[in-house]
Amino acid sequence: MKLSIAEGFYLIALDDEEGRILAAAEKNVVPGVIAACILELYLLKKIKLDGGNVTVVDTIGTGNGILDNVLKKLQTGPSFIDQVKSMSGKFKDIQEDLNSLLVQRGILKKEETKLLWIPLSDRMDNANYAFEQEIRNNLKAIVFKSAKPSPAFTILYSLIDDCNILSEVFRDKDELIDAEKVGKDLIDNSGVDADLANALRQLKSFFG
């Protein structure tokens, strides 16, 4: 993914027409972003997830301000879920940080009558929208082409499912049914390692 997992999750959770977070994701968007950051730091080998507990192994920054802020706050010892809970209270402004980052990249645009939105009139010609479209295409390929997801897309798909916003990607009723079926077995079928699979199962219980 050309965007971080957290950025991809946030874009899907953002209603393109209304310029605000989807109602279904309002309660879970902050912990979802935090969880995405922690799990991406795991993929980047900045942390380990030993039996569900976090061990920080590399504090050198990634170059992504949001990921680096989360990395600075992570502690060795507390569980993954406890740190998601703790940081969700400490980083309540993380949405504003994401907004600013995505505006700087030209992916989101600010307008007086809306919060943040992706230009609709020329969205398919807007090169920056291609980032989100690529994410959506990959998610659909997992469902309709039986594509094996990368660890990053396994995390993203699982988070979108956990936060009940699969319908933002799979808007047709029959497609959504297929997507939900894939979501039920995604962790087992994706081939991710045991520590990541365990963390994703913990998240399902946390959001459930």
Side-chain angles (χ1 to χ4, degrees), residues 9 23-24 26 29 59 75 114 118 120 124 152 155 157 173 175 182 190 199:
F9 169 73
E26 284 180 350
V29 66
T59 59
Q75 301 175 21
K114 297 181 181 180
I118 298 168
L120 298 176
M124 297 311 293
I155 294 167
Y157 196 112
K173 184 177 179 181
E175 289 186 355
V182 169
S190 64

Side-chain angles (χ1 to χ4, degrees), residues 176-188:
L176 179 59
I177 291 172
D178 291 339
E180 289 173 340
K181 288 179 181 176
V182 169
K184 288 180 180 179
D185 299 316
L186 179 72
I187 298 171
D188 293 328

Side-chain angles (χ1 to χ4, degrees), residues 13-34:
L14 187 66
D15 187 315
D16 294 350
E17 295 182 10
E18 297 294 330
R20 58 180 172 79
I21 297 299
L22 295 164
E26 284 180 350
K27 292 182 180 179
N28 292 328
V29 66
V30 171
V33 166
I34 297 292

Side-chain angles (χ1 to χ4, degrees), residues 152-206:
F153 269 100
T154 300
I155 294 167
L156 180 59
Y157 196 112
S158 190
L159 279 172
I160 291 170
D161 190 14
D162 293 344
C163 294
N164 299 311
I165 52 174
L166 273 177
S167 58
E168 174 62 14
V169 179
F170 302 93
R171 295 181 177 177
D172 177 84
K173 184 177 179 181
D174 290 335
E175 289 186 355
L176 179 59
I177 291 172
D178 291 339
E180 289 173 340
K181 288 179 181 176
V182 169
K184 288 180 180 179
D185 299 316
L186 179 72
I187 298 171
D188 293 328
N189 294 338
S190 64
V192 297
D193 66 62
D195 286 329
L196 180 53
N198 181 47
L200 291 173
R201 292 190 186 98
Q202 290 177 343
L203 276 179
K204 285 202 174 295
S205 296
F206 172 68

Side-chain angles (χ1 to χ4, degrees), residues 12 16 27 36 39 50 57 78 87 91 94 107 120 151 164 178 186 193:
I12 298 299
D16 294 350
K27 292 182 180 179
L39 293 179
D50 299 315
V57 295
M87 277 195 262
F91 282 118
I94 199 166
I107 295 171
L120 298 176
N164 299 311
D178 291 339
L186 179 72
D193 66 62

Side-chain angles (χ1 to χ4, degrees), residues 1-2 129-139 153:
M1 283 177 26
K2 295 175 182 176
Y129 180 70
F131 291 124
E132 184 179 353
Q133 188 60 52
E134 181 182 5
I135 291 170
R136 290 173 180 269
N137 290 345
N138 275 280
L139 293 171
F153 269 100

